[in-house]
Amino acid sequence: MVIEVSAPVRICDNGGWTDTWFGGPGRILNVAVTPGVEVSIRTTAGSDPVVFDVETFGDRYSIIPGETRIARHPLLEAAVDAFPPPKGLAVEVSVRSGVPAGCGAGTSAAVAVALLGGLAALRREQHSPRDIAYAAHRLEVDILGVQSGIQDQLSAALGGINYLEIETYPEARVYPLPTWEELSPRLTLVFLGRAHDSSAVHRQVIEDVGCHGSGAFSRLRDAAVAAREAVLARDLDAFGHAMIANTEAQGSLHPGIVGVDARRVIELAAERGAIGWKVNGAGGDGGSVTILSATREAKEALEHLVDVLDKRYRVLPIQVSTVGLEVRGAL
C-alpha cells in the first residue's frame, strides 16, 4: 500500500522578510504554485526501517529513526526522527520536486510539509494543514537551527493566494484571497541556474538590520498590502507595481539580495514591457525571479529570450495552485 502526498511551492512573496523573528510585524502576500513537491511512502519487505529515495539528488540510502548519524539530508532525516513510522513497519520514502533545490520558492518548506503530512498519515494521526505547517517550521528552526519565516510552510500547507499578518512571530493570521484566473497565464518563473543559500542571506541581513532594516521592512509591508489590494481588485498593473516595489525594498535591505543574474533577467523583462518582477525568497546569488507580463503573447516572447540570454537560465512552467497539502491513500 502507498501514501501519496503533494504540496505546492510559493512565489511572489511580497512582504517576505517581515515574517521572521527580526523583521516583524509581518505582512505577507504570496502565491502557491505547481509543480511543487511530491512524496510517496510505501511499505517494503526489507530489513531497513526507512529507505530514502531522493530523486532530485540521485541518492538512495537507509536510516534507523532516532539513531545518531551524520545526516546526508538533514531535513528529511529530522522529519522521520520527529514522526517515525510505527514499530515493526519498514517503509521506502521517495521525494521528488518539480522545481530545483535552492530555487527561492520555499522548496524545503514544501518538502517538510509534504513529508510530515505523509508520515502523520502513516501513523494514523489527525493533524490540520496548519498544524503540519507549524510542525515543519519547528523542524527547520528549532531542530535544524535554520533561519526561516513562517510564510513558506503555510503556503505549502494551505495553497492558493494568501495574505498573512504576523504580530507575534511565528503566529500568523491567514486570509485566503479569491482565485484569480488571469494571473497564471501572465507569470513566468525563471531559475537562475544555481541554488542560493537562504540561511547565509538571512545572516547577512540580520547583521545589517540595525543600520537600515527598519525602513526597508516598512516598505516590504506596504508592498504586501498593495499586492493584496491588487488581487482583490483584479488589477494586474497594480500587482506588478507591488512586485517591483517589493524587489526594490529587498535590495535596500542588503545589496546582495538582488544578484547579478537576477538583474540581468529583470533588465530583459523591463525592455520587453513586463509590468512586474520579483526576486523570490531571500534572494542572493542564484535562486529565481518571477516576471509578470502584460499579455500572454508578451510572456511567450520573453520566455524565448530568457532561453537564449544565458544557457544556465531555465524557464520553469508553473500554474497557480488552489490547493495545498494533499494526502492520498493509506497503509
Side-chain angles (χ1 to χ4, degrees), residues 110-126:
V111 167
V113 165
L115 182 51
L116 288 178
L119 290 169
L122 179 70
R123 293 157 58 91
R124 295 179 179 161
E125 297 176 355
Q126 297 294 322

Side-chain angles (χ1 to χ4, degrees), residues 108-331:
S108 63
V111 167
V113 165
L115 182 51
L116 288 178
L119 290 169
L122 179 70
R123 293 157 58 91
R124 295 179 179 161
E125 297 176 355
Q126 297 294 322
H127 298 277
S128 71
R130 183 184 176 94
D131 288 341
I132 292 293
Y134 276 91
H137 183 260
R138 289 191 296 271
L139 200 66
E140 294 202 61
V141 174
D142 296 339
I143 296 177
L144 298 179
V146 175
Q147 295 289 348
S148 174
I150 187 59
Q151 60 143 331
D152 292 352
Q153 292 84 0
L154 287 169
S155 181
L158 302 175
I161 305 174
N162 291 298
Y163 177 70
L164 282 64
E165 293 182 349
I166 304 108
E167 298 297 337
T168 304
Y169 172 86
E171 291 302 317
R173 291 195 298 271
V174 182
Y175 302 91
L177 299 182
T179 56
W180 191 5
E181 292 80 3
E182 296 84 2
L183 190 59
S184 275
R186 310 292 181 85
L187 291 174
T188 296
L189 179 60
V190 181
F191 175 55
L192 299 173
R194 52 180 170 158
H196 75 162
D197 183 350
S198 60
S199 284
V201 180
H202 274 83
R203 288 192 294 271
Q204 294 169 5
V205 170
I206 291 169
E207 291 174 3
D208 289 350
V209 162
C211 301
H212 48 257
S214 178
F217 291 142
S218 179
R219 293 194 296 277
L220 289 166
R221 284 188 280 271
D222 290 344
V225 172
R228 178 196 64 187
E229 296 307 305
V231 173
L232 293 174
R234 297 293 191 270
D235 190 333
L236 285 168
D237 287 324
F239 192 76
H241 287 316
M243 293 170 65
I244 294 170
N246 195 100
T247 298
E248 291 174 351
Q250 284 176 277
S252 68
L253 267 178
H254 190 281
I257 286 180
V258 184
V260 173
D261 290 309
R263 292 188 186 280
R264 289 185 70 197
V265 172
I266 288 171
E267 288 171 3
L268 174 65
E271 290 170 359
R272 302 301 299 180
I275 58 176
W277 45 81
K278 167 73 175 68
V279 172
N280 294 308
D285 291 334
S288 66
V289 177
T290 301
I291 307 296
L292 179 63
S293 295
T295 65
R296 300 187 186 199
E297 294 77 14
K299 173 191 171 182
E300 293 174 0
L302 174 66
E303 291 178 353
H304 173 72
L305 291 172
V306 167
D307 286 337
V308 300
L309 178 64
D310 193 307
K311 64 181 181 180
R312 297 172 302 159
Y313 303 163
R314 195 151 48 102
V315 173
L316 304 177
I318 55 168
Q319 292 287 328
V320 175
S321 176
T322 58
V323 297
L325 174 66
E326 289 189 302
V327 181
R328 302 170 296 278
L331 297 181

Side-chain angles (χ1 to χ4, degrees), residues 6-134:
S6 60
V9 293
R10 67 96 193 95
I11 60 170
C12 291
D13 52 323
N14 278 32
W17 290 102
T18 71
D19 62 324
T20 61
W21 63 267
F22 57 87
R27 299 292 184 270
I28 303 288
L29 183 289
N30 61 26
V31 181
V33 296
T34 55
V37 169
E38 295 181 353
V39 169
S40 64
I41 304 174
R42 67 183 68 237
T43 56
T44 70
S47 58
D48 296 318
V50 177
V51 175
F52 283 119
D53 182 6
V54 191
E55 182 178 288
T56 304
F57 296 93
D59 284 348
R60 184 179 176 86
Y61 66 103
S62 62
I63 68 165
I64 298 174
E67 283 203 351
T68 302
R69 70 185 83 88
I70 298 175
R72 291 170 62 173
H73 291 279
L75 183 63
L76 305 184
E77 296 174 33
V80 168
D81 288 340
F83 283 20
K87 288 185 177 181
L89 190 66
V91 297
E92 178 177 312
V93 178
S94 299
V95 182
R96 301 173 296 279
S97 175
V99 298
C103 184
T107 312
S108 63
V111 167
V113 165
L115 182 51
L116 288 178
L119 290 169
L122 179 70
R123 293 157 58 91
R124 295 179 179 161
E125 297 176 355
Q126 297 294 322
H127 298 277
S128 71
R130 183 184 176 94
D131 288 341
I132 292 293
Y134 276 91

